[in-house]
Amino acid sequence: MSEATVNNGVNADALVAAREALTEAPQAAQFNWRASCEWKNGTHSHSTVEGFFGLGEEQKRSKTFAFDADHPEIFASEDLGATPVEYVLVGLASCLTAGVAAIAQYRDIQLKSVKATIEGDMDIQGILGIDDEVRNGFDGIKVTYEIDADAGRDDIEALVAQSQKRSAVYDIVTNPTAVTVEVK
Amino acid sequence: MVGAGHAGLAMSRCLAVRGIDHVVLERGEVANSWRTERWDSLRLLTPNWQSRLPGFGYEGDDPDGFRDMTQTVAFLQRYAEVISAPVETRTTVTSIRRDDEDYLVTTDRGEWRARSVVLASGACNLANVPKVADALPDGIASVHSFDYRNPDQLPAGGVLVVGASATGTQLGYEIHKSGRPVTLAVGEHIRVPRTYRGRDLMWWMDNAGVHDERWDEMDDINRARRVPSFQLTGTDDGSTLDLNAVTDIGVALVGRFAGLVDGKAQFSGSLLNQCALSDLKMNRLLNSFDEWAAEVGADADVEPSHRLDSTRVPEKPPLTLKLAEAGIGTVLWCTGYRPDLSWLEVDVLDRKGRICHEGGVTSSPGLYLMGMQFLRRRKSALIDGAADDADDLSEHLAAYLDG
Ligand SMILES: Cc1cc2nc3c(=O)[nH]c(=O)nc-3n(C[C@H](O)[C@H](O)[C@H](O)COP(=O)(O)OP(=O)(O)OC[C@H]3O[C@@H](n4cnc5c(N)ncnc54)[C@H](O)[C@@H]3O)c2cc1C
């Protein structure tokens, strides 16, 4: 499918094969992603990501990934990690960027460099409960890509547009998701 | 043959030419879908010339015009007469089963036994209504384009039109003009100009070979079959009905309808990207037209190349709308259609109830399908697409009968 000359480090043939296999066996496409989070002190928490379920069975990682979240000092916190909302930005930017690479591979476009900056505007009167009309979350998120690739501007824009269309985090952020929070 | 729409009639003609004895079973009258399932103002989005059926075509003096429903029905009725199609009207097929080598076709007017069956019962028999419609608050009418006829049928007040393909943009425009303010929820859509370089879009699709692209040459035929209809309408002046045109008359654009909680509609934040994707796809199509024109030396026959303005997207489209408070009296679902083959008792359906086929040939010997999106060619679902498909499939069918 892909030319040997284009290499973005993405195994596009494997992705295509997986897509075909999962079309035949849709139950294997049911995944369950998880993280666990433990409070440390103040606004500081420590989260880990390890196993997940997919392809019909429990899957193991090569290692456990750890993430510290906190708030900056201006919130009277200790700044021991990025804020949770910044993790959302990281999630979105990394999801879109992975998508750009995969789609570029599929479309035979050699990438040289891909850089995204992502920013979210927020009026914190919402989270502080000062103004009911202000939402807690972002007013809007802006992602700016700088891409150097063997392709014209239209093709590069199409890569970025298609990656939004196929992105899980983009969907999570732009569409409502039912959330259930329980106490054991 | 099940169904006397243009697809069934085209197949009937091809079988007659091959001397194959057949009958066309039709639950209503010829062209039943056009008579009973379309809105009043609908005009075809394909020009008059683009209705070349086997042994028949447009006979009038306005090849570039667009038929209304009366003219469409008259056209198909006349086709049925010209080809003396053996149509049994008022005959509803209630089940089709295999019986040894044959098919047993049960109808409300008795049974037929056939060596071969062609399903031409249409791709748009049922309305696709998203599940969230059930959660609409009392007092807000929920109407699908399938049941919509004209604006007067709707209660006073605003209308949330969901879907911005051919149907949603046409109805949004008409309803807003009727004095009911329209909010249009925009998901994936395919923008195209009605006229490009002085020629109708369909002239380009036809001449540049896009309509003839084959199903077995597509990278991903399943995706190609799911692509929404062109955002297009038949206009006398060749103007384009796109999102900019509906914005110009005051229709408000919002993102894809994504959810409904306590009477509050939620819209996706993806509007900008949906419009960007659509503009990019349109420009790809227009580039391919330009390349074709340069290649075949047609540049002199058409006007210079040009591009449309980008889709204007509101700076901050609302992400939620309290329907009752916003004065919305109706939600109009322009969310598409699907076939109804619930009476087909032959094992050719997938787990989602969709019929499996290879270019209209099913895995059940002698059972064929017509008139579906991209069945054998990009044009398969269009009136103009039936001739080639009927020709191919009647050949296959004849070979099967000769066995
Ligand atoms: C709103 C709309 C606009 C369209 N505009 C255009 C356009 O501008 N140009 C174009 O080329 N195409 C257009 N199309 C696409 C296509 O041409 C039409 O959908 C067309 O009606 C399809 O023709 P058909 O013969 O495949 O099916 P239909 O015309 O739907 O014919 C199927 C027939 O089968 C009958 N039938 C169904 N079930 C049974 C049963 N169980 N027993 C007996 N009979 C049965 C029906 O009554 C019907 O008469 C449009 C479609 C829609 C929905």
Side-chain angles (χ1 to χ4, degrees):
Chain A
M1 185 127 304
S2 53
E3 306 272 334
T5 48
V6 169
N7 183 2
N8 297 322
V10 174
N11 188 340
D13 293 341
L15 289 178
V16 171
R19 191 166 176 271
E20 275 164 16
L22 293 179
T23 307
E24 296 301 309
Q27 63 292 350
Q30 302 308 313
F31 274 61
N32 179 261
W33 300 105
R34 323 168 181 130
S36 39
C37 174
E38 192 177 354
W39 174 66
K40 289 295 176 190
N41 182 43
T43 53
H44 177 211
S45 66
H46 182 78
S47 296
T48 51
V49 165
E50 211 171 353
F52 63 95
F53 182 89
L55 304 181
E57 60 188 349
E58 207 43 47
Q59 304 280 349
K60 272 274 166 217
R61 308 296 262 269
S62 52
K63 63 175 192 180
T64 301
F65 299 100
F67 307 87
D68 282 277
D70 200 356
H71 286 93
E73 282 161 10
I74 58 160
F75 291 94
S77 293
E78 292 185 71
D79 208 15
L80 294 171
T83 61
V85 297
E86 288 162 326
Y87 277 107
V88 173
L89 298 180
V90 169
L92 179 58
S94 47
C95 191
L96 291 175
T97 303
V100 165
I103 296 160
Q105 184 73 44
Y106 187 70
R107 295 187 179 175
D108 281 337
I109 297 175
Q110 179 63 54
L111 298 173
K112 292 176 188 152
S113 82
V114 179
K115 285 191 187 122
T117 48
I118 180 163
E119 42 194 305
D121 289 327
M122 184 185 288
D123 178 346
I124 69 162
Q125 292 186 85
I127 45 178
L128 295 177
I130 298 170
D131 186 340
D132 278 352
E133 287 178 1
V134 175
R135 70 180 286 186
N136 297 344
F138 295 121
D139 292 332
I141 295 177
K142 185 157 192 263
V143 190
T144 311
Y145 268 102
E146 269 180 83
I147 296 180
D148 184 9
D150 290 334
R153 174 148 192 115
D154 275 1
D155 286 339
I156 290 177
E157 283 190 10
L159 274 184
V160 172
Q162 185 66 18
S163 119
Q164 291 167 72
K165 186 174 166 187
R166 285 278 155 257
S167 161
V169 180
Y170 180 89
D171 174 67
I172 291 165
V173 170
T174 56
N175 292 311
T177 305
V179 179
T180 315
V181 182
E182 285 174 350
V183 178
K184 256 206 237 181
Chain B
M1 202 102 53
V2 186
H6 77 263
L9 295 175
M11 190 60 155
S12 169
R13 162 74 182 181
C14 289
L15 293 185
V17 167
R18 292 176 188 276
I20 296 171
D21 187 28
H22 65 281
V23 61
V24 184
L25 305 178
E26 167 57 55
R27 61 182 167 181
E29 301 293 326
V30 165
N32 191 57
S33 303
W34 300 107
R35 288 175 202 267
T36 63
E37 294 171 356
R38 307 281 190 262
W39 59 92
D40 298 346
S41 67
L42 178 64
R43 297 172 65 186
L44 294 192
L45 47 75
T46 44
N48 289 334
W49 61 262
Q50 199 176 32
S51 48
R52 296 160 292 198
L53 291 163
F56 192 63
Y58 181 63
E59 299 168 326
D61 54 8
D62 183 20
D64 298 322
F66 300 94
R67 289 185 187 88
D68 62 21
M69 288 306 98
T70 311
Q71 292 164 331
T72 306
V73 170
F75 174 76
L76 292 178
Q77 184 70 49
R78 185 159 153 63
Y79 182 45
E81 284 157 19
V82 168
I83 63 171
S84 310
V87 183
E88 294 285 332
T89 56
R90 310 256 149 230
T91 307
T92 303
V93 173
T94 52
S95 96
I96 294 184
R97 273 191 315 255
R98 271 221 86 128
D99 189 34
D100 285 336
E101 294 287 277
D102 293 342
Y103 291 92
L104 198 59
V105 180
T106 312
T107 77
D108 57 353
R109 287 184 52 224
E111 273 183 6
W112 267 265
R113 188 171 265 285
R115 293 260 341 260
S116 177
V117 167
V118 180
L119 305 168
S121 49
C124 304
N125 312 111
L126 299 172
N128 273 341
V129 186
K131 273 206 187 68
V132 288
D134 298 340
L136 274 181
D138 291 343
I140 293 183
S142 174
V143 182
H144 191 277
S145 57
F146 195 85
D147 301 307
Y148 171 87
R149 293 295 170 267
N150 55 62
D152 295 339
Q153 159 200 8
L154 307 179
V159 179
L160 172 61
V161 175
V162 181
S165 290
T167 303
T169 43
Q170 289 181 31
L171 299 188
Y173 192 91
E174 151 170 319
I175 292 168
H176 193 82
K177 285 271 183 188
S178 81
R180 292 165 181 81
V182 166
T183 303
L184 181 62
V186 180
E188 185 178 357
H189 61 278
I190 314 278
R191 183 186 184 201
V192 282
R194 177 76 263 178
T195 316
Y196 181 60
R197 301 181 69 178
R199 299 286 187 147
D200 190 79
L201 175 80
M202 291 298 165
W203 181 88
W204 289 98
M205 294 290 287
D206 204 56
N207 284 285
V210 183
H211 269 157
D212 290 323
E213 286 167 6
R214 289 173 57 94
W215 98 101
D216 49 3
E217 290 167 0
M218 296 306 291
D219 264 356
D220 185 348
I221 183 61
N222 291 326
R223 181 122 133 238
R225 283 181 176 146
R226 285 196 307 260
V227 166
S229 64
F230 278 162
Q231 198 181 57
L232 192 63
T233 185
T235 49
D236 285 327
D237 59 357
S239 61
T240 296
L241 180 63
D242 55 11
L243 294 180
N244 287 348
V246 299
T247 300
D248 284 342
I249 64 160
V251 168
L253 305 186
V254 294
R256 184 172 189 275
F257 190 103
L260 191 62
V261 178
D262 299 334
K264 193 164 79 173
Q266 301 171 310
F267 306 113
S268 173
S270 63
L271 180 61
L272 198 64
N273 190 49
Q274 296 286 11
C275 294
L277 269 168
S278 193
D279 285 353
L280 284 161
K281 273 190 199 141
M282 172 175 69
N283 288 338
R284 254 201 318 267
L285 182 70
L286 300 184
N287 287 342
S288 74
F289 291 165
D290 290 348
E291 282 161 21
W292 167 80
E295 210 176 283
V296 302
D299 271 327
D301 305 337
V302 293
E303 291 171 11
S305 171
H306 58 93
R307 290 291 169 267
L308 279 71
D309 293 340
S310 302
T311 301
R312 298 196 308 274
V313 183
E315 178 115 27
K316 285 215 160 173
L319 296 169
T320 59
L321 189 66
K322 291 182 179 153
L323 296 175
E325 282 174 38
I328 299 288
T330 310
V331 177
L332 180 63
W333 306 101
C334 299
T335 38
Y337 309 87
R338 64 181 190 278
D340 179 7
L341 291 169
S342 53
W343 35 266
L344 184 63
E345 294 171 30
V346 184
D347 186 20
V348 288
L349 303 178
D350 71 8
R351 70 197 160 88
K352 287 188 145 185
R354 292 173 304 209
I355 185 159
C356 305
H357 64 95
E358 277 294 323
V361 181
T362 74
S363 60
S364 181
L367 183 66
Y368 299 90
L369 181 67
M370 286 278 297
M372 296 289 155
Q373 196 63 262
F374 222 135
L375 184 90
R376 298 181 67 81
R377 297 169 174 84
R378 192 178 293 280
K379 66 183 176 185
S380 283
L382 298 177
I383 296 174
D384 205 52
D388 285 346
D389 289 2
D391 195 39
D392 291 352
L393 291 174
S394 63
E395 185 182 337
H396 194 289
L397 190 154
Y400 169 71
L401 292 184
D402 288 345

